[in-house]
Amino acid sequence: MKIRIGVIFGGRSVEHEISVISAQQAISAFDKNSYDITPIYITKTGKWYTGDALLNVDNYKNTDSLLAQCTEIYISPTFGDFTINAVQSSIWKSKEIAKIDIAFPIIHGTNCEDGSLQGLLELKGIPYVGCDVLSSAVGMDKIMMKMVLKESGLPVVDYTWFTDRSWHMDKQAIIEKINKIGFPVIVKPSNLGSSVGVSKAADEAQLIEAVELAGRFSSRILVERMVVDLKEINCSVLGDVANQNASVCEEPLGAGDILSYKDKYITKGSSSKGMTSTKRQIPANIPKEQAMLIQDLAKETFRTLSCSGVSRIDFLVDKKDNKVYVNEINTIPGSLSFYLWEATDKNFGQLLKTLIDVALKRQRERDNLVVSYGENIFNMSAGLSKSGKS
């Protein structure tokens, strides 16, 4: 019997298009003899659709035409109901569109990758692939992530953070803190991926411009020391908190000081290939000992944040002294990092099967947890006071 999978993608995020590409790549790679796939597309305005027209990436060039060929859907909030329903139904048209056994979020950025979608799926009791609410939220927020990793003894570059409100209220004090870190610095919105809103600042004038840019995307802003003599290395991790495997390392090749959104996704002639269009060297041209160190740090980062599924951890290597720093984690990486696993020991189909197996294992473990008591405490009124305390 085939497993019914709902692949959720799109979303209210600046990484919407990247999600569409990642999902198209995955849907093409599923073993159709083992899985039935239902595409579930969330528009930029937050409406949900399904339909075969979603399976052709060229259809997304005209969204109105695409949606006219699809069915707007909703899922009920009832726990345990995994039915996908049509918003509009009639006596001639069934309300029920499909049922799924497991959800597979392939969605990047805010309002989805940050734990919000995972929370919705947990409320409904739907098994799902990937990180849970906590690890998604911490992994998405660069400030919280650095706090947790630093406290856990993992290497991160010096940083400070502030809110947009505190920047406007006490700008000079914040600039003094940043001066202690030392220019140049990298300025980032706290909760976005794909290098959106990220820029370099070599002095105070550029800092002000960079903070204004980052503030357009997030009210929480991270400023960190820039590694000047930089080599960027990425490594993917697959598994859960109990068992982790690391992929080979890659070296993405950007055009400037930092790898930009354009470097990652808009390489000339390959705008529909997502992260696979990024110029890169696999395996990275680094010593074996350094590759092993990065793989160990990647697995420890994954474990520390209680991740599940597949993630990509990005590192900064200071070529001046060969020190390695954890830069960030991508809990739903572009293209699911399948190209790294192909270079390690799995094709894309095998990677997807492993992700589903890990998700179903987590669900079986959760089903054994006590989440409520069968007794009705209101029938034990002798032990309760009017204040609600015994």
Side-chain angles (χ1 to χ4, degrees):
M1 185 175 178
K2 293 183 181 180
I3 297 176
R4 299 168 297 185
I5 300 174
V7 175
I8 306 174
F9 60 99
R12 294 175 53 243
S13 164
V14 294
E15 299 174 80
H16 180 98
E17 285 80 3
I18 310 307
S19 166
V20 171
I21 295 168
S22 293
Q24 299 288 328
Q25 293 169 332
I27 289 171
S28 297
F30 272 108
D31 178 1
K32 304 303 188 297
N33 292 318
S34 300
Y35 307 108
D36 275 333
I37 308 300
T38 298
I40 301 172
Y41 172 58
I42 304 177
T43 69
K44 291 184 178 180
T45 58
K47 292 186 176 181
W48 294 41
Y49 286 84
T50 190
D52 290 342
L54 297 169
L55 301 177
N56 185 342
V57 72
D58 289 335
N59 289 339
Y60 293 83
K61 294 175 181 176
N62 186 330
T63 307
D64 291 340
S65 173
L66 168 64
L67 298 183
Q69 302 173 63
C70 299
T71 302
E72 186 176 358
I73 59 170
Y74 71 95
I75 54 176
S76 80
T78 306
F79 182 84
D81 181 0
F82 301 170
T83 305
I84 297 171
N85 301 300
V87 170
Q88 294 183 336
S89 61
S90 67
I91 58 175
W92 299 283
K93 188 177 179 180
S94 173
K95 179 180 176 182
E96 182 178 318
I97 298 290
K99 287 183 182 292
I100 62 173
D101 300 310
I102 184 169
F104 198 139
I106 305 181
I107 201 159
H108 311 306
T110 50
N111 301 311
C112 287
E113 190 182 358
D114 54 8
S116 52
L117 176 60
Q118 290 76 10
L120 174 66
L121 297 173
E122 289 197 14
L123 276 173
K124 282 192 54 60
I126 299 178
Y128 62 94
V129 172
C131 288
D132 63 8
V133 175
L134 176 63
S135 50
S136 295
V138 175
M140 190 73 202
D141 189 286
K142 294 178 173 61
I143 297 168
M144 292 301 297
M145 178 197 66
K146 284 189 181 290
M147 287 179 177
V148 172
L149 296 184
K150 185 176 182 180
E151 176 66 21
S152 302
L154 286 156
V156 296
V157 295
D158 294 337
Y159 69 94
T160 188
W161 71 276
F162 48 89
T163 64
D164 55 354
R165 181 178 177 83
S166 60
W167 172 255
H168 292 294
M169 296 287 290
D170 203 6
K171 184 182 300 182
Q172 197 53 47
I174 293 172
I175 290 176
E176 287 176 10
K177 281 186 179 178
I178 295 171
N179 270 312
K180 290 180 181 176
I181 293 174
F183 286 98
V185 294
I186 300 294
V187 181
K188 304 177 178 179
S190 177
N191 59 351
L192 289 180
S194 300
S195 302
V196 175
V198 176
S199 55
K200 166 190 169 184
D203 52 35
E204 289 188 14
Q206 291 184 7
L207 173 68
I208 292 171
E209 291 181 11
V211 171
E212 294 297 326
L213 173 63
R216 291 172 53 195
F217 299 97
S218 174
S219 61
R220 288 154 48 83
I221 297 164
L222 172 71
V223 177
E224 59 187 22
R225 178 176 68 84
M226 179 176 176
V227 177
V228 177
D229 199 3
L230 172 67
K231 183 191 285 282
E232 291 190 66
I233 302 294
N234 300 339
C235 180
S236 181
V237 176
L238 176 64
D240 57 21
V241 71
N243 296 289
Q244 310 90 36
N245 292 301
S247 73
V248 298
C249 296
E250 67 164 332
E251 180 182 356
L253 305 174
D257 295 319
I258 53 177
L259 198 65
S260 67
Y261 183 95
K262 183 177 179 181
D263 290 330
K264 289 180 177 177
Y265 302 114
I266 316 179
T267 301
K268 185 178 180 181
S270 55
S271 60
S272 64
K273 295 183 179 178
M275 274 296 287
T276 55
S277 67
T278 304
K279 294 179 181 177
R280 55 170 53 83
Q281 181 164 343
I282 302 177
N285 184 24
I286 54 177
K288 181 180 178 182
E289 294 74 17
Q290 192 172 62
M292 292 174 63
L293 170 63
I294 288 173
Q295 289 172 322
D296 287 343
L297 289 173
K299 289 191 288 186
E300 185 59 18
T301 299
F302 187 94
R303 191 196 65 79
T304 298
L305 299 179
S306 297
C307 292
S308 182
V310 67
S311 294
R312 195 192 73 234
I313 296 89
D314 299 348
F315 292 87
L316 309 173
V317 178
D318 192 335
K319 290 191 285 188
K320 187 173 59 180
D321 54 15
N322 280 325
K323 285 189 176 177
V324 176
Y325 302 93
V326 181
N327 185 31
E328 62 183 33
I329 186 169
N330 300 272
T331 55
I332 306 179
S335 302
L336 300 180
S337 295
F338 78 86
Y339 49 90
L340 284 173
W341 289 101
E342 284 184 341
T344 306
D345 58 3
K346 288 179 176 59
N347 62 37
F348 204 171
Q350 291 169 328
L351 171 64
L352 295 170
K353 181 181 185 307
T354 302
L355 290 172
I356 292 165
D357 290 347
V358 169
L360 293 175
K361 170 177 170 279
R362 177 176 63 188
Q363 188 63 33
R364 289 194 296 273
E365 292 170 349
R366 287 183 171 183
D367 288 343
N368 290 324
L369 298 176
V370 175
V371 294
S372 65
Y373 294 111
E375 296 84 359
N376 186 340
I377 195 170
F378 294 107
N379 292 328
M380 305 175 191
S381 55
L384 294 174
S385 69
K386 290 182 180 179
S387 66
K389 297 180 180 178
S390 60

